[in-house]
Amino acid sequence: MPRSSFSGMISGPKVDVIIDLGNPLLNHTVDGFLKIGTVAATRAAAEDAYSVVKKGSISTHDAEHTLKKMCKEGAYWGTVAGVYVGAEYGLERVRGTRDWKNAMIGGAVTGALVSAATNKGKDKVIVDAITGGAIATAVEFINYLT
């Protein structure tokens, strides 16, 4: 029978959340979704907090708008991160190796899927796939240097 669990730990500036859904692919995907989704929601809140401070007051409408924006941004970027992390981890398992090629293919797949969901044409999907692969590969190479 499947079981799941959740635990968290805060030690200094690093926050580590461990999610056990019984499947490593799901664990990595949900972890990526939660981490990046939280960052995106926080960014949206900070952006709107600045505009509230600048305006000098907050209304119920402003608070509702901020909450909706946080949910929308968190869900969007969390989904993008979940797709990328899941694709990269899946490739690692299928290929049996962890290298920059997994990041490149995972980034390309993620870029293509996100672009295809927006219905902006096949040329845009191809460009976004190339961009996603290039960015993910560059990040992998930078991580190897540090």
Side-chain angles (χ1 to χ4, degrees):
M1 176 170 274
R3 65 176 238 266
S4 63
S5 64
F6 177 84
S7 67
M9 178 180 75
I10 298 177
S11 60
K14 183 180 177 183
V15 176
D16 195 14
V17 177
I18 300 169
I19 298 170
D20 185 9
L21 299 173
N23 182 325
L25 176 64
L26 289 175
N27 294 345
H28 285 281
T29 302
V30 171
D31 184 58
F33 175 86
L34 290 175
K35 286 180 180 176
I36 301 303
T38 302
V39 169
T42 304
R43 187 202 64 79
E47 188 177 87
D48 282 1
Y50 173 75
S51 65
V52 165
V53 169
K54 187 175 176 183
K55 190 167 82 169
S57 65
I58 186 167
S59 66
T60 306
H61 175 72
D62 292 336
E64 288 175 4
H65 173 73
T66 299
L67 185 59
K68 286 179 183 177
K69 186 175 176 184
M70 288 172 63
C71 291
K72 180 180 175 186
E73 291 287 318
Y76 177 79
W77 289 109
T79 301
V80 170
V83 169
Y84 171 73
V85 170
E88 185 178 21
Y89 180 77
L91 285 163
E92 180 182 328
R93 296 292 299 206
V94 168
R95 293 183 64 233
T97 185
R98 184 175 186 171
D99 60 8
W100 62 271
K101 295 172 191 170
N102 296 340
M104 179 187 67
I105 296 167
V109 167
T110 302
L113 286 173
V114 169
S115 185
T118 61
N119 295 324
K120 293 195 177 183
K122 66 179 180 181
D123 289 337
K124 181 72 171 146
V125 172
I126 293 168
V127 168
D128 289 347
I130 292 168
T131 303
I135 290 171
T137 305
V139 168
E140 271 305 299
F141 284 136
I142 290 170
N143 282 337
Y144 284 139
L145 295 175
T146 57

